[in-house]
Amino acid sequence: MKKLFLMLSLLFGPGMVVMLADTDSGSIITAAQSGAMFGYKLLLAQIILIPILYCCQELTIRLGIVSGLGHGALIKKYFGSFWAWFSIATLILTCIGAILSQFSGLVGVGLLFGIKPIYSLTATVLFLTIVVMTGSYRRVEKISLLLGLFELIFIYVAYKAHPNLIAVKKELFVIPFHNKEYWYLMAGNIGAVIMPWMIFYQQSAVVDKKLSIKYLNFSRIDTFIGAIVTQVIMIAVLMVTAATLGKTRSNLPLDTVQQISHALIPFLGVNTGKILFAVGMIGASLIASVVVSLTAAWSIGELTNFKHSLENRPKEAPWFYFSYIIILIIGAVFVYLNLNLIKIGVAVTVMNALLLPLVLGFLLLLANKALVGKY
């Protein structure tokens, strides 16, 4: 038993980390917007997406473990440099978009407590830089998991909200076919669950962690549990806002992070609601920021052949760490321009959905070429 526990502690990580990062601030905002505008009508989509999410990420595990290469490097091997760089260019676009979403969420949380954006952004960039530049892969993974676990607070809040199960049953299969905003949010929910950078991250992570074939099934369990956890969190956020804002706002869209936090107040009180929302949002945004920035840095390193492992010190892999930090700085600068934080969050998830055909197309083509025999 002790040996099994040790093995699980070593193996669990890439799947759970990427899934907790999947429930980032943009995803939380999208789920909250869905509940506020359409009640429980988008709840079924969250359930259906669980097996789809698992299948996509399980395939990246097999590709990484069997080939020993990250996603970008594998595209380069089978399809050449042009398509590799093209895929990385779209990846970096989604990574920058995701960072904007995370930092927007953190700024919104800061504003709840009267903290100016410049202070929130500076503290975030410094913290994330220190986390990655002073640790090994396993250390970064453990810190990321710890941050991500704060998201479980949303499940507790949903429990306290006592959602109306009769309303859930009534609206679960209702689809407003002619409502454009509904389909826009449907695209946002798909893009909030299956994100292009998740595929690149998990494949690079299992390679950096040096997992071998004998650990494939453990990695699958890691990913399966993570897929369920991330969707339960999304469902929890949607149900909380559906039970409160969805009843009182007459299907109006949300405009600020503060409005989302107000959904918690009827069940937890002003101060407690604010604090719990802040903790959950901070955890979601920080773990996603680490994952997204590492994804971009890993992918660039795979194509340029620069050293790109967390096992390398900054002096040994300067371009890897530079790529990581520059993504953070770009995100901080754009968010400081005071853009609409809610619109950014939803728009980024919609962009993810639009880019999915390209990413999933490459995933299936690589599986056809790189996976042979029983794999």
Side-chain angles (χ1 to χ4, degrees):
M1 182 63 73
K2 186 177 180 182
K3 198 175 283 187
L4 176 63
F5 180 78
L6 179 62
M7 183 179 289
L8 290 174
S9 67
L10 291 173
L11 290 174
F12 273 65
M16 189 63 76
V17 167
V18 80
M19 293 301 182
L20 288 172
D22 182 30
T23 322
D24 63 356
S25 63
S27 298
I28 290 171
I29 287 169
T30 301
Q33 190 81 285
S34 300
M37 293 184 68
F38 294 101
Y40 304 103
K41 295 182 181 70
L42 281 158
L43 181 60
L44 183 62
Q46 302 292 347
I47 299 169
I48 293 172
L49 284 167
I50 294 174
I52 300 172
L53 173 61
Y54 170 74
C55 287
C56 291
Q57 295 306 123
E58 189 276 339
L59 195 49
T60 69
I61 297 169
R62 273 186 286 150
L63 282 170
I65 290 179
V66 172
S67 71
L69 295 173
H71 202 69
L74 209 55
I75 292 174
K76 183 179 180 181
K77 178 179 177 179
Y78 287 106
F79 300 105
S81 295
F82 172 80
W83 287 111
W85 278 109
F86 180 76
S87 65
I88 294 302
T90 59
L91 169 70
I92 291 174
L93 181 64
T94 64
C95 286
I96 291 175
I99 282 291
L100 290 178
S101 180
Q102 312 322 315
F103 284 9
S104 296
L106 290 167
V107 165
V109 170
L111 291 173
L112 278 175
F113 298 94
I115 300 172
K116 293 181 178 180
I118 186 65
Y119 298 131
S120 299
L121 292 169
T122 301
T124 299
V125 171
L126 287 175
F127 174 76
L128 294 173
T129 300
I130 291 169
V131 165
V132 166
M133 293 190 71
T134 59
S136 63
Y137 173 81
R138 295 195 190 283
R139 182 169 177 271
V140 171
E141 184 177 84
K142 287 176 182 176
I143 293 173
S144 298
L145 281 170
L146 181 62
L147 294 172
L149 289 176
F150 285 115
E151 297 175 43
L152 298 179
I153 284 172
F154 292 118
I155 298 175
Y156 170 73
V157 174
Y159 167 74
K160 294 291 288 184
H162 301 297
N164 187 335
L165 297 182
I166 295 175
V168 172
K169 184 179 178 181
K170 182 180 177 182
E171 297 181 17
L172 189 62
F173 297 101
V174 175
I175 301 175
F177 286 100
H178 303 294
N179 191 314
K180 291 180 180 179
E181 289 182 333
Y182 173 85
W183 292 111
Y184 182 75
L185 270 177
M186 175 65 82
N189 277 279
I190 294 170
V193 173
I194 305 171
M195 304 190 194
W197 49 262
M198 294 174 66
I199 291 167
F200 283 83
Y201 174 85
Q202 191 161 3
Q203 191 166 332
S204 295
V206 298
V207 172
D208 207 3
K209 200 168 182 178
K210 300 178 176 62
L211 296 182
S212 62
I213 292 293
K214 66 179 180 179
Y215 300 130
L216 177 58
N217 286 333
F218 284 104
S219 297
R220 284 170 168 161
I221 295 169
D222 174 32
T223 302
F224 179 70
I225 293 173
I228 293 174
V229 170
T230 186
Q231 285 307 96
V232 168
I233 294 170
M234 286 284 284
I235 289 168
V237 174
L238 185 151
M239 294 185 83
V240 168
T241 52
T244 54
L245 303 181
K247 284 184 176 179
T248 60
R249 293 180 55 80
S250 303
N251 296 335
L252 292 175
L254 302 171
D255 296 313
T256 66
V257 171
Q258 289 91 323
Q259 288 173 347
I260 299 176
S261 74
H262 289 162
L264 314 186
I265 290 173
F267 312 109
L268 303 171
V270 176
N271 293 327
T272 305
K274 241 205 294 195
I275 291 170
L276 289 182
F277 172 79
V279 170
M281 197 71 158
I282 288 170
S285 299
L286 288 180
I287 186 175
S289 297
V290 172
V291 167
V292 166
S293 302
L294 279 178
T295 301
W298 266 328
S299 300
I300 292 170
E302 288 168 7
L303 295 194
T304 58
N305 292 321
F306 289 127
K307 288 184 177 180
H308 52 277
S309 173
L310 286 167
E311 303 305 319
N312 299 128
R313 299 294 87 207
K315 286 184 178 180
E316 299 169 333
W319 287 106
F320 169 68
Y321 289 98
F322 175 77
S323 301
Y324 172 82
I325 294 171
I326 202 69
I327 292 289
L328 296 177
I329 292 174
I330 290 172
V333 169
F334 273 95
V335 171
Y336 185 67
L337 297 177
N338 198 27
L339 304 173
N340 186 298
L341 308 183
I342 296 296
K343 286 184 178 178
I344 287 175
V346 177
V348 166
T349 59
V350 172
M351 179 182 70
N352 288 337
L354 294 175
L355 289 173
L356 271 181
L358 173 68
V359 177
L360 296 181
F362 269 122
L363 183 65
L364 293 174
L365 289 170
L366 288 173
N368 187 50
K369 288 182 174 292
L371 299 177
V372 295
K374 64 180 181 180
Y375 302 114

